[in-house]
Amino acid sequence: NAGVTQTPKFRILKIGQSMTLQCTQDMNHNYMYWYRQDPGMGLKLIYYSVGAGITDKGEVPNGYNVSRSTTEDFPLRLELAAPSQTSVYFCASSYRATEAFFGQGTRLTVV
Amino acid sequence: QQQVKQSPQSLIVQKGGISIINCAYENTAFDYFPWYQQFPGKGPALLIAIRPDVSEKKEGRFTISFNKSAKQFSLHIMDSQPGDSATYFCAAILTGGGNKLTFGTGTQLKVEL
């Protein structure tokens, strides 16, 4: 009963480096999301997907890219890491609007 | 522009007391209003939710009150317990528009013995 799995849990990046945050879900959910959480700011939507092959920008997409080649996987790519991308990143999935299931998060620090 | 405003930012309640968290939204097209609970080091998890055609929903010690005309809703936690200490987020969804959650800024609740 894995649900939504994110890797890695922690990562330190140097400015300008790139990385991919992995997210996979085993619930066959069509909808998947990436949020970032900053202290006092709540969770902000970065990108979302309504199904394999379909992605769209959320509220704060700059500096990120996504792909959705399968129902299960929704990786988030940071191309040129900046200190402003220091945050906790959450992936989520849902079948309907009634409940979104979140992963345990990836804590990213850019130095 | 914060589409969902949440207050207070932090809250300390004595064990057995009532915790109240308030939210206000701007977009009248929102049609689903969930509350999420988050413990340290964990992702948010759905606690309770309401649709705007209902004025109140109760699940155990947790109650949502909804005022459509004022565009406000609130979470009441009755008989608050130390295990309720967590961060609470209100949210709003426009269903059919990707079911994207728009979150409030969160309330850090601490229930003291």
Side-chain angles (χ1 to χ4, degrees), chain A residues 33 35 37 44 48 90 97 100, chain B residues 2 36 38 89 98-99 101:
Chain A
Y33 314 87
Y35 289 89
Q37 182 177 19
K44 301 289 188 183
Y48 69 101
F90 287 99
Chain B
Q2 186 68 35
Y36 279 78
Q38 184 182 30
F89 294 96
N99 294 336
L101 286 155

Side-chain angles (χ1 to χ4, degrees), chain B residues 8-76:
Chain B
Q9 187 174 6
S10 62
L11 182 62
I12 299 175
V13 173
Q14 296 299 308
K15 180 183 176 184
I18 302 173
S19 304
I20 302 174
I21 304 170
N22 300 300
C23 284
Y25 63 97
E26 297 176 2
N27 187 349
T28 55
F30 286 138
D31 56 0
Y32 194 71
F33 300 87
W35 285 87
Y36 279 78
Q37 180 187 53
Q38 184 182 30
F39 293 103
K42 303 293 185 182
L46 180 66
L47 182 64
I48 186 172
I50 196 168
R51 294 197 181 276
D53 54 348
V54 176
S55 61
E56 186 176 281
K57 183 174 182 180
K58 183 176 181 179
E59 290 185 359
R61 296 184 294 107
F62 301 91
T63 300
I64 302 177
S65 297
F66 193 88
N67 186 330
K68 189 174 181 178
S69 61
K71 295 189 290 185
Q72 295 176 347
F73 59 111
S74 60
L75 176 69
H76 292 64

Side-chain angles (χ1 to χ4, degrees), chain A residues 35-100:
Chain A
Y35 289 89
R36 60 176 288 172
Q37 182 177 19
D38 301 297
M41 300 295 290
L43 290 92
K44 301 289 188 183
L45 182 65
I46 305 170
Y47 270 95
Y48 69 101
S49 170
V50 300
I54 306 169
T55 62
D56 206 349
K57 296 178 180 179
E59 186 178 356
V60 290
N62 291 343
Y64 307 94
N65 277 299
V66 295
S67 60
R68 183 96 182 270
S69 57
T70 67
T71 299
E72 295 79 18
D73 300 307
F74 191 41
L76 178 71
R77 178 83 177 162
L78 283 72
E79 289 295 347
L80 291 170
S84 61
Q85 294 177 305
T86 294
S87 188
V88 181
Y89 291 84
F90 287 99
C91 178
S93 73
S94 70
Y95 172 65
R96 297 172 296 189
T98 49
E99 183 170 7

